[in-house]
Amino acid sequence: MSVSEMFAALQGALGQDQDIREEIRKVVQALEQTAREILTLLQGVHQGPGFQHIPKKCQKAREHFGTVRTQMESLKTKFPADQYYRFHEHWRFVLQRLVFLAAFVVYLESETLVTREAVAEILGIEADRERGFHLDIEDYLSGVLTLASELARLAVNSVTAGDYARPLRISTFINELDSGFRLLNLKNDSLRKRYDGLKYDVKKIEEVVYDLSIRGLSKEATVGTGGEK
């Protein structure tokens, strides 16, 4: 094979790779749009009246995740199944955002932490790497850390809305989350930096709880709910 023939073959391979990336980019853009729609919907819970409509907002968000599953099915067809990590950077950010949104919905519904397997089911992908297009553990953890920041904000806005019991429950949840992350040996630089931000979320929520305590509102909230949710 001559040099010109070699480079012609390389150009063909490059062109094919660029075509794949362009097809992936189109689907990722659609996923990003759906993620924005879900986020816009859920942001309503931070407003006073929004607390009264949490179940409806979660139900509507679940409907949007139906669109996400369809888009994920399309994404899976755009590249060779054995080259997940070759193209992973294209959808990594939006996948982490979708993990956060799924985790936020589940928290609003049950005040529990969604499992990686449950998130994968919500998104219509696999939890196990061996089964194909899957939810990488680090992407799951990144989404959960974003949830922590969102809950810190929710704790503040709950007080504004007159819901004094919710910040106490959020505080308990975030402290359990922090304890869980302390068990992990995080070596990924990006994820480690994200985790370092968790301590600020913990501190922010602790300040909210402390403020409620000195104002006598935390005791009132506990009595008002019978010590339960």
Side-chain angles (χ1 to χ4, degrees), residues 114-186:
V114 68
T115 65
R116 184 164 68 101
E117 291 75 15
V119 175
E121 183 177 353
I122 291 171
L123 301 183
I125 58 180
E126 302 292 342
D128 298 328
R129 178 176 179 174
E130 294 76 14
R131 301 184 65 177
F133 195 106
H134 62 285
L135 175 56
D136 185 82
I137 294 176
E138 292 178 352
D139 289 338
Y140 166 74
L141 293 175
S142 292
V144 169
L145 287 170
T146 304
L147 171 67
S149 297
E150 191 73 9
L151 291 182
R153 180 186 172 205
L154 185 62
V156 174
N157 291 329
S158 296
V159 175
T160 304
D163 185 346
Y164 305 130
R166 190 179 298 272
L168 306 182
R169 303 198 300 273
I170 290 176
S171 178
T172 298
F173 176 84
I174 292 297
N175 278 294
E176 290 177 352
L177 196 63
D178 184 46
S179 296
F181 269 94
R182 289 178 186 274
L183 298 175
L184 303 177
N185 181 20
L186 300 176

Side-chain angles (χ1 to χ4, degrees), residues 199-215:
K199 62 184 177 184
Y200 298 107
D201 296 324
V202 172
K203 182 179 180 181
K204 184 176 182 179
I205 296 170
E206 286 178 344
E207 290 174 349
V208 173
V209 172
Y210 176 73
D211 183 60
L212 289 174
S213 177
I214 62 175
R215 291 164 60 190

Side-chain angles (χ1 to χ4, degrees):
M1 181 182 292
S2 66
V3 172
S4 60
E5 290 174 333
M6 289 172 58
F7 275 82
L10 290 173
Q11 176 57 35
L14 284 174
Q16 184 178 28
D17 187 78
Q18 290 170 355
D19 289 342
I20 291 175
R21 293 181 186 278
E22 178 61 21
E23 288 299 310
I24 291 174
R25 187 185 66 81
K26 291 177 182 178
V27 181
V28 168
Q29 284 183 331
L31 279 167
E32 290 172 342
Q33 177 59 35
T34 305
R36 283 192 292 269
E37 292 172 0
I38 298 174
L39 180 61
T40 299
L41 175 66
L42 295 178
Q43 288 304 293
V45 304
H46 290 286
Q47 303 168 2
F51 286 95
Q52 303 171 15
H53 305 296
I54 286 178
K56 290 183 179 180
K57 290 183 181 298
C58 289
Q59 181 180 358
K60 189 66 176 178
R62 291 272 186 178
E63 293 174 6
H64 281 293
F65 276 112
T67 301
V68 170
R69 288 191 290 273
T70 299
Q71 292 166 337
M72 284 294 186
E73 284 299 320
S74 176
L75 181 57
K76 295 173 189 177
T77 68
K78 303 305 181 184
F79 64 97
D82 60 347
Q83 296 185 22
Y84 177 91
Y85 284 106
R86 180 182 179 186
F87 301 104
H88 177 240
E89 284 299 312
H90 288 279
W91 60 75
R92 179 174 62 87
F93 177 78
V94 70
L95 188 56
Q96 292 175 1
R97 174 59 61 88
L98 289 167
V99 170
F100 149 62
L101 293 171
F104 194 26
V105 169
V106 170
Y107 179 84
L108 291 173
E109 292 173 337
S110 62
E111 298 191 356
T112 60
L113 176 63
V114 68
T115 65
R116 184 164 68 101
E117 291 75 15
V119 175
E121 183 177 353
I122 291 171
L123 301 183
I125 58 180
E126 302 292 342
D128 298 328
R129 178 176 179 174
E130 294 76 14
R131 301 184 65 177
F133 195 106
H134 62 285
L135 175 56
D136 185 82
I137 294 176
E138 292 178 352
D139 289 338
Y140 166 74
L141 293 175
S142 292
V144 169
L145 287 170
T146 304
L147 171 67
S149 297
E150 191 73 9
L151 291 182
R153 180 186 172 205
L154 185 62
V156 174
N157 291 329
S158 296
V159 175
T160 304
D163 185 346
Y164 305 130
R166 190 179 298 272
L168 306 182
R169 303 198 300 273
I170 290 176
S171 178
T172 298
F173 176 84
I174 292 297
N175 278 294
E176 290 177 352
L177 196 63
D178 184 46
S179 296
F181 269 94
R182 289 178 186 274
L183 298 175
L184 303 177
N185 181 20
L186 300 176
K187 296 182 179 180
N188 178 292
D189 290 340
S190 175
L191 186 59
R192 179 71 197 186
K193 290 178 181 178
R194 295 282 299 278
Y195 167 62
D196 288 341
L198 180 58
K199 62 184 177 184
Y200 298 107
D201 296 324
V202 172
K203 182 179 180 181
K204 184 176 182 179
I205 296 170
E206 286 178 344
E207 290 174 349
V208 173
V209 172
Y210 176 73
D211 183 60
L212 289 174
S213 177
I214 62 175
R215 291 164 60 190
L217 296 174
S218 60
K219 183 176 180 181
E220 175 185 321
T222 302
V223 172
T225 58
E228 300 175 357
K229 284 186 190 180

